[in-house]
Amino acid sequence: MLAHSNLISCNFPSLPLLCKNPRPATTTASLQAQILKHKTTYASSNFLKSNSYNTSIFPYKKRCVLQVCNSVLDSKDSDKDPILESDTNNVKEGRDWTSSILLFVFWGALLYYVFNLAPDQTPTTDMYFLKKLLNLKGDDGFEMNEVLVSLWYVMGLWPLVYSMLLLPTGRSSKSKIPVWPFLVLSCFGGAYALLPYFVLWRPPPPPVEESELGKWPLNFLESKLTAGISLAAGLGLFLYAGLANGDVWKEFYQYVQGSKFIHIMSLDFALLSAFAPFWVYNDMTARKWYDTGSWLLPISLVPFLGPALYLVLRPSLSEMPVSVSPTSEQE
């Protein structure tokens, strides 16, 4: 009775039409392999699922049910399964814009805070500090805060670290948005200039040709010497600030509370430190080094020093057997 209902659901009038000569039970194994193949290929069809379940109950009717499924799938409309077609379109054309929208809203709120809500109690002092840090003001006897000096020079190293993380594995191939203008602007705007690229970024990166590795800027950014100098400079600056006494840190904390210049720079440092582990992970997976270097992910949470250490230890692109593409190789 159950087998008859399956045949009717496939628009066949009666059971004897297809089941005149059922196969003996000795062919059960081969028929199971064929049914498994069709079940895998057309797993989206509820009709096939129900038939494959019924065939397991009636082993002698397997040939009949298999013929019914073939007759349906071989029809003119069978090669365009609407469920499979919609899933394919979603994979090729769909995109989850949630993260981009959230990042854009966050960037807008951040800019509003910087221009309207950040403390601005000492604008004259801010200008004086800026001139001193840029060496535009001579020695007037005033000693700059050691923590502030360290933070200023570390902020000058962050664009180099991000350039080494984003070129080439952080490039965007689908949105056609180049990354280098944002990296140049980050030398002046820090994370405030990089966030728009994070909003527009769409992986995977374009393939890297071997000839590119010997040209500027990849030959400089992939150099272990560049990474080592960045790590050594950052370590020295952190030690310089860390060895300062408690009064110096208290003074710096007061600057953060009242100076707009120092407040925004400190916030910029925190943002760059927060986003760096993601780009370390992205670069690590693009180089197919996750299994070996995954222990560096927790270390990348250490501001500046963690990502800089990763850049020293990561494998060079010249050692990779294939072009860099973290997600396009998944099939």
Side-chain angles (χ1 to χ4, degrees):
M1 184 66 183
L2 183 57
H4 186 69
S5 64
N6 286 335
L7 293 172
I8 294 176
S9 66
C10 291
N11 298 323
F12 282 91
S14 62
L15 179 63
L17 184 61
L18 292 174
C19 298
K20 294 179 179 180
N21 298 314
R23 294 290 181 90
T26 55
T27 61
T28 300
S30 61
L31 289 174
Q32 286 180 341
Q34 297 181 45
I35 293 173
L36 179 60
K37 178 180 178 182
H38 285 277
K39 182 178 178 181
T40 304
T41 309
Y42 302 99
S44 301
S45 173
N46 292 329
F47 164 72
L48 183 57
K49 289 179 181 178
S50 61
N51 282 336
S52 60
Y53 172 79
N54 292 334
T55 56
S56 64
I57 302 176
F58 300 99
Y60 285 98
K61 302 299 181 182
K62 287 179 180 179
R63 179 61 181 173
C64 304
V65 177
L66 186 60
Q67 289 181 356
V68 172
C69 294
N70 283 335
S71 64
V72 174
L73 296 174
D74 291 339
S75 61
K76 293 182 179 180
D77 297 332
S78 62
D79 55 343
K80 292 185 178 180
D81 191 311
I83 300 177
L84 295 175
E85 195 171 26
S86 61
D87 291 342
T88 304
N89 292 337
N90 289 336
V91 171
K92 292 181 178 180
E93 301 178 1
R95 182 195 174 188
D96 183 11
W97 288 87
T98 305
S99 58
S100 296
I101 293 174
L102 291 176
L103 278 175
F104 180 77
V105 172
F106 174 75
W107 180 60
L110 186 64
L111 293 182
Y112 180 82
Y113 174 81
V114 166
F115 288 106
N116 298 283
L117 302 178
D120 190 14
Q121 301 175 6
T122 58
T124 305
T125 305
D126 289 352
M127 186 59 62
Y128 174 79
F129 284 162
L130 183 60
K131 289 181 179 180
K132 289 285 289 185
L133 291 170
L134 292 173
N135 295 319
L136 298 178
K137 204 169 187 64
D139 186 9
D140 55 2
F142 180 79
E143 186 177 353
M144 292 290 293
N145 184 280
E146 289 92 336
V147 180
L148 175 58
V149 173
S150 299
L151 177 62
W152 171 260
Y153 286 109
V154 168
M155 294 304 297
L157 293 173
W158 265 123
L160 177 60
V161 170
Y162 265 87
S163 296
M164 298 174 74
L165 289 174
L166 295 177
L167 287 175
T169 57
R171 294 185 297 179
S172 182
S173 61
K174 293 184 178 180
S175 62
K176 307 299 182 182
I177 301 296
V179 64
W180 66 264
F182 299 92
L183 292 172
V184 172
L185 291 175
S186 69
C187 297
F188 309 96
Y192 309 107
L194 284 175
L195 273 170
Y197 179 76
F198 298 167
V199 173
L200 300 172
W201 177 65
R202 291 191 64 188
V208 180
E209 297 181 0
E210 188 176 356
S211 59
E212 296 182 61
L213 300 179
K215 299 179 182 178
W216 173 267
L218 289 186
N219 57 351
F220 173 75
L221 298 176
E222 287 290 320
S223 171
K224 295 299 181 182
L225 179 61
T226 306
I229 292 175
S230 300
L231 177 61
L235 185 60
L237 291 171
F238 272 77
L239 288 175
Y240 179 71
L243 293 176
N245 56 47
D247 295 335
V248 174
W249 281 94
K250 289 179 181 179
E251 183 185 38
F252 176 76
Y253 180 71
Q254 293 175 354
Y255 288 156
V256 173
Q257 288 183 317
S259 169
K260 188 170 189 175
F261 166 61
I262 300 176
H263 184 88
I264 292 174
M265 183 167 57
S266 302
L267 181 59
D268 190 10
F269 176 82
L271 290 171
L272 292 172
S273 302
F275 283 108
F278 169 79
W279 294 107
V280 167
Y281 171 78
N282 177 75
D283 187 79
M284 184 183 297
T285 53
R287 295 169 189 264
K288 308 295 187 294
W289 199 55
Y290 179 78
D291 293 337
T292 305
S294 58
W295 62 274
L296 284 169
L297 286 177
I299 298 178
S300 67
L301 296 172
V302 179
F304 187 84
L305 297 180
L309 178 63
Y310 165 76
L311 293 174
V312 173
L313 300 179
R314 69 179 181 178
S316 175
L317 284 179
S318 59
E319 302 173 4
M320 303 301 296
V322 294
S323 299
V324 174
S325 183
T327 55
S328 60
E329 297 295 329
Q330 298 178 1
E331 295 180 359

